[in-house]
Amino acid sequence: MTLETATVDAGTVKMASGVVVEPGVFQLQTRDLPVETPDGWVLVDICAVGICGTDYHIFEGKHPYLEYPRVIGHELSGRIAEASGEWKAGELVVINPYLSCGECRACKKGKPNCCERIEVLGVHREGGMCARIAVPSGNLYRANGLSELQAAMVEFLAIGAHAVRRAGALEGERVLVTGAGPIGIGTALFARIRGADVHLLDLSEARLRQASSKFGFDNLHLVGDDILAGSLTDGFDVVFDATGSARAIEAGFPLLAHGSRYVLVSVVKDQIRFDDPEFHKREAQIIGSRNATAEDFETVMQAIREGLIDTDALCSRTIPIHEIADQFQLLANDRDTLIKAVVTL
């Protein structure tokens, strides 16, 4: 840690923490640096924090599961602060921010990502935009072969990798990803790795241009286009929604081919309505995709190591933590051209 992130104050070590105080108000506040952990937990000194759509939704008052004020930050890389059990001091780790109970029906079925009592860092409990955090040992993954910045981008990519895994087979299938933001791009990348013919749909021409220039996606569609014209008349085998918009989710149902799957990656507060006879005659499936599991984190890290994911193209900006308070509103306003901003400590 540096003097910019932690200081000594009257004998107690303090640290700067990025806090959404209430909707529309982001501040750097001083909090106590954790020095003790419960049994089985590990202290991690944070290296980098990716800013996510969830963080912007918290800032805008749109997140359905949150109480203010909240230290945000759940896309986290860090180094082990003190040797503990299997962990050596200084090891670079990726933090899985989904803290599960281990006892509910979902956990016992191997689905801790949708634990009945899940607590997500930066949402249900204080997050990692700070110098140090305590995390259960089982939520840490060694980031061998990755840089600190790359390790901070694993979590959001794991969301897309999990959604693609939830969709099932994909090789040779026609896939539409609605929403070309970070989660949508991550989903599209892993669908392509799995052999799909990937199309992207978005409101923003700028986002679609980025998808083409940075990642080589050529099948691009603007909202309002007659997307089912020509060779696409019979629809898509898989549609992924990564928009966070109820209207966009509803607009995706007519794009489903017969025998297709609709994977809802985003979460919205609203009710979703669709035409049941049209849905039924397609024998379509609706699949929820929430968070990610250890398998997905490992999938992402291996893809980065193999050069299948261009993390330089994903990282739009790096910002030191002492500058983030002045820039947070600007970042929230610039999501058309911003893929991933990463706060460094």
Side-chain angles (χ1 to χ4, degrees), residues 324-339:
I324 188 60
D326 293 333
Q327 298 193 37
F328 200 89
Q329 179 69 70
L330 298 175
L331 295 174
N333 294 341
D334 189 29
R335 280 177 275 175
D336 263 10
T337 57
L338 191 70
I339 300 177

Side-chain angles (χ1 to χ4, degrees), residues 1-7 14-17 33 130-131 321 344-345:
M1 75 191 65
T2 71
L3 291 178
E4 294 169 346
T5 58
T7 58
K14 302 286 186 178
M15 63 180 179
S17 301
L33 187 84
C130 56
I321 191 171
T344 56
L345 285 86

